[in-house]
Amino acid sequence: MRPLTEEESKTVFTKLANYVGKNLVHLIDRPDEPYCFRLHKDRVYYVSESSMRLAISVARPNLVSLGTCFGKFTKSGKFKLHITSLDYLAQYAKYKIWIKPNGEMPFLYGNHVLKAHLGRITEDTPEHQGVVVFSMNDVPLGFGVTARSTIDTRKLDPTAIIVFHQADVGEYLRDEETLF
Amino acid sequence: MGRRSKNKQGVPPSFDEFQARKEKKDAKRKRTEEAIAEKPAKKSKDINYAKSNDSKKTKSSKPKKNTKEEEKSEEPEDLPEVDYEELASAKKSLFDDSDEEAPEAEAEELDDEFDIGSDNDVEGDEFYDSDEDDRAKPMFSDDEDDMETLNAANMEALSRKLDEEEELEAEEAERELVEGATQPKAKILPTPEEEALLQKGPQDLTMVRTRMIEVVKVLENFKELAEEGKSRAEYTNRLLKDISEAMEFFEANEIARPITIRTNTLKTRRRDLAQTLVNRGVNLQPIGSWTKVGLQIFDSQVPIGATPEYLAGQYILQAASSFLPVMALDPQENERILDMAAAPGGKTTYISALMKNTGCVFANDANKARTKSLIANIHRLGCKNTIVCNYDAREFPKVIGGFDRILLDAPCSGTGVIAKDESVKVNRSEKDFIQIPHLQKQLLLSAIDSVDANSATGGVIVYSTCSVAVDENEAVVDYALRKRPNVKLVESGLQIGKEGFTSYRGKHFNPSISLTRRYYPHTYNVDGFYVAKFKKIAPSPHDISKAGAKEKESLARSEAEEEGIIHDDFAEFDEAEDKEIIDQTMKRNLKRKGINPSSVLNKNK
């Protein structure tokens, strides 16, 4: 477990900023407790400093996880956000999309969001923008990247993809072995 | 059949008969002796008389059936006409006789009986052979010559005598029979007051077992063994009641427990969740008044473990019994808590939820593979204050100590969750039932040592298993209480549950173990479970020790070894004094052998 290097921080924050935008500062400067990012075995954890201090007692081979895992660094040095970060993403998301109940299950099985399933979307979402996907009763289901801007989606036919799937909560069941 | 057949030795009695007779004889002899002791002033004749009476009675009971049959077969031959009335009167007189018997009726017998009395005295301490006694009987052996000269005159008298004997026998036999029947007519069924007592607390197993055996015995031979005024139904009901607990337990083990879920209060409220699930076609209802987060699922049109709500972490599938240890632990906000055997995380996430994501929860599991599901559940339910580690929990005070609360949901044989996992019934060997409690004891001591006794809010250890075996529950708790006097059991604060056993199969545990709670599948429709809550009241010397499992093990070993060895402080030896005693003994031994000690010892010098 170690703090992120300058370069790593930059990669992580750029990625996060794609979803939460300027809300990123809220992750760093929290009103309740100081939180920090820690790297442990390629994975980036977001954890309160008090917890982090306690976790120092745990030997590296025995420490499996702490706080919330945000994602992992790939071998090529890119950062991949995991579904486990959804809680924070959903809390601070800048752009959101709500899908109808009949679109929930297809999305949770790892499919892209079609226009037919679109319930609501944040105004003026640009193209290729990271968005958090919610169900109609405000339950976060995953996140992805928009295929078209909000204005463009109006012209699309119902079967067209509007959000590319990146991660969904179904992965807790599907990818339990590889995810953690 | 000749008359001489009478003189022959009868069929030897069976061992039981023999024993019974012997006992009786002994008892009678004792009685006689007592009587003698009481009235030492009485004339010797009186004593003899009494003795002879006793011995006569004894004798008369001896031949029993054998002679009876012989006589019966003989009667029609020798005595075609018997005056039954006369016989009856004779019998009557015989019944009356006891001590003040008519002297003339007894006169001719008296001589013989005097002999017998003296015989009896001689034989007193010897082993009694009933057969020999039979032969020594005056009627047959001594009167042999008379029998040869049997004539019509004495025939009647003789036959009467025979009949009297027979009558006495019959009476004796009857009494025996009555005695035999009354003896097991003991009161088996508990009285209503006792019954009320039984309803309350845990029962004495040996008592229940004896009662069951007795009841079965009575039911097998109801007519003779039943207590008066009790019906067959009463016995069967008692038996059913005694068995029923076990039967209910076995039956409950075959039925799956209802599916229960726990609402994740970090993400939603129970009412909202219930509403959403009902909309999905799930039939549910709250588990009970004792929990505010549990829901019981009756049936569902959708897979309950794959709904969007489940994946979003609004609830977790969790057995109702798993709520209990966490409720007993009663975690408070901003505490440091350790879950020693956390996977798959049902209890850990509940702890986290009760702490509202403050403080810190250490979730430990010894199995690396199982930590995956643990992490998955922690993240899915949005617990942000957890640290997951992969240690043998016995190492714990060494890794980090000073916890406010510790939950030890110990690995166990799983006898409480047979409904969930049938393989428990066949996979468990005796070895498991030795090894598992051993591990549990080590874990519990580790847990106790890892807690901060001076914690402002906590200092609590909760020990739980999903087993119903006493070896894994009360015995382990009792062990911990003995080994760590700085902990005490406290009220678990759970609304349901039966008291733990304070004694079981001759083992007596600390009386405070009644504060622990047991749960059975048949009583609360939860898995079999056990919860004990400790409070650490003072730090122990073990707290300072940063020893891990391995060091502790070797320390305990060396300690035990040390205890076995007796060091110098055993006794003082005075060489000079010993020398004298040794010399004396040597001399004595030589003398005993016939050797002159002075010659040998001097030679040696």
Side-chain angles (χ1 to χ4, degrees), chain B residues 488-561:
Chain B
K488 61 170 186 190
L489 281 169
V490 289
E491 199 65 57
S492 60
L494 297 169
Q495 291 170 25
I496 59 170
K498 292 189 171 179
E499 287 180 6
F501 299 129
T502 49
S503 66
Y504 177 75
R505 292 211 177 149
K507 283 181 211 153
H508 291 279
F509 303 128
N510 195 309
S512 65
I513 283 181
S514 60
L515 291 172
T516 65
R517 287 287 173 270
R518 287 184 150 261
Y519 301 86
Y520 298 111
H522 58 279
T523 42
Y524 300 106
N525 203 9
V526 298
D527 292 319
F529 219 78
Y530 178 78
V531 178
K533 183 176 181 178
F534 296 90
K535 173 121 176 91
K536 192 166 176 177
I537 41 181
S540 67
H542 304 277
D543 291 358
I544 312 156
S545 149
K546 292 284 181 196
K550 215 178 256 172
E551 288 93 330
K552 257 190 267 172
E553 186 84 35
S554 55
L555 206 73
R557 287 244 168 92
S558 62
E559 210 171 88
E561 235 165 64

Side-chain angles (χ1 to χ4, degrees), chain B residues 1-6 65-80 162-163 166:
Chain B
M1 193 198 260
R3 230 170 257 130
R4 297 226 171 212
S5 62
K6 258 189 246 167
K65 273 176 198 164
N66 296 339
T67 37
K68 220 193 239 173
E69 274 163 29
E70 279 169 32
E71 278 158 10
K72 261 181 196 160
S73 61
E74 232 160 281
E75 264 170 13
E77 266 181 46
D78 300 335
L79 304 160
L162 281 177
D163 277 333
E166 196 183 336

Side-chain angles (χ1 to χ4, degrees), chain A residues 8-176:
Chain A
E8 282 162 347
S9 311
K10 206 180 155 202
T11 325
V12 173
F13 290 148
T14 330
K15 191 67 146 188
L16 282 173
N18 196 20
Y19 296 87
V20 296
K22 280 184 183 143
N23 288 333
L24 190 59
V25 290
H26 293 302
L27 279 176
I28 317 287
D29 296 324
R30 286 169 65 111
D32 51 348
E33 223 182 321
Y35 268 64
C36 60
F37 286 91
R38 281 293 179 272
L39 183 86
H40 178 68
K41 289 180 187 166
D42 281 346
R43 277 161 219 274
V44 174
Y45 295 95
Y46 180 63
V47 64
S48 76
E49 274 188 13
S50 59
S51 282
M52 182 267 292
R53 289 210 178 87
L54 290 172
I56 289 170
S57 313
V58 182
R60 195 186 315 185
N62 300 96
L63 183 65
V64 192
S65 158
L66 71 156
T68 309
C69 177
F70 263 45
K72 69 179 242 186
F73 279 104
T74 62
K75 296 280 190 285
S76 58
K78 290 191 182 107
F79 182 69
K80 185 174 186 278
L81 269 177
H82 278 167
I83 185 62
T84 47
S85 64
L86 181 66
D87 261 348
Y88 288 107
L89 291 188
Q91 190 183 348
Y92 298 115
K94 204 172 168 201
Y95 298 99
K96 299 176 180 177
I97 175 170
W98 288 262
I99 53 176
K100 291 176 183 162
N102 57 355
E104 280 177 10
M105 289 324 283
F107 180 70
L108 290 179
Y109 281 106
N111 298 313
H112 304 300
V113 179
L114 306 180
K115 197 203 166 193
H117 297 145
L118 180 66
R120 271 197 298 161
I121 188 164
T122 315
E123 283 288 317
D124 57 76
T125 312
E127 204 174 358
H128 308 310
Q129 167 70 46
V131 287
V132 177
V133 181
F134 288 83
S135 73
M136 285 311 277
N137 36 18
D138 264 339
V139 177
L141 297 176
F143 51 88
V145 176
T146 50
R148 297 276 199 283
S149 65
T150 314
I151 307 145
D152 290 344
T153 51
R154 302 232 167 87
K155 298 173 226 158
L156 289 172
D157 59 24
T159 55
I161 295 167
I162 51 162
V163 174
F164 294 119
H165 169 273
Q166 276 185 331
D168 68 89
V169 288
E171 286 173 25
Y172 283 119
L173 288 187
R174 294 201 304 274
D175 299 334
E176 194 188 281

Side-chain angles (χ1 to χ4, degrees), chain B residues 274-456:
Chain B
Q275 191 55 53
T276 338
L277 288 177
V278 165
N279 291 343
R280 288 200 186 274
V282 180
N283 188 1
L284 50 74
Q285 123 180 1
I287 290 178
S289 56
W290 53 273
T291 171
K292 285 196 169 67
V293 291
L295 285 170
Q296 187 172 338
I297 311 287
F298 294 111
D299 62 292
S300 165
Q301 292 165 8
V302 289
I304 204 73
T307 63
E309 284 73 29
Y310 175 83
L311 294 170
Q314 294 190 348
Y315 64 90
I316 183 170
L317 287 166
Q318 190 175 6
S321 56
S322 299
F323 298 9
L324 300 164
V326 181
M327 292 166 78
L329 188 69
D330 189 26
Q332 306 293 314
E333 289 177 34
N334 292 312
E335 282 185 329
R336 192 202 302 178
I337 295 181
L338 169 64
D339 187 351
M340 288 189 122
K347 298 183 193 73
T348 311
T349 50
Y350 191 14
I351 293 172
S352 203
L354 287 174
M355 291 165 77
K356 303 199 177 75
N357 258 336
T358 60
C360 186
V361 181
F362 274 74
N364 178 69
D365 203 275
N367 186 340
K368 190 130 199 171
R370 272 160 68 88
T371 56
K372 283 197 190 298
S373 61
L374 172 61
I375 301 169
N377 276 326
I378 285 173
H379 280 98
R380 185 171 61 83
L381 275 83
C383 304
K384 299 175 173 84
N385 58 349
T386 51
I387 294 167
V388 182
C389 48
N390 169 227
Y391 274 109
D392 183 335
R394 286 173 288 181
E395 296 193 32
F396 241 91
K398 193 187 183 188
V399 178
I400 183 171
F403 289 95
D404 294 306
R405 285 160 206 268
I406 291 186
L407 173 64
L408 172 56
D409 186 31
C412 66
S413 62
T415 49
V417 287
I418 293 173
K420 240 192 235 169
D421 182 10
E422 291 260 332
S423 64
V424 169
K425 286 196 269 193
V426 285
N427 281 353
R428 292 294 170 200
S429 62
E430 268 177 57
K431 211 173 143 199
D432 287 327
F433 284 97
I434 297 165
Q435 277 176 349
I436 292 174
H438 180 67
L439 173 66
Q440 288 166 337
K441 285 170 186 171
Q442 289 180 324
L443 286 173
L444 185 50
L445 293 191
S446 279
I448 291 170
D449 294 345
S450 307
V451 162
D452 177 16
N454 302 318
S455 160

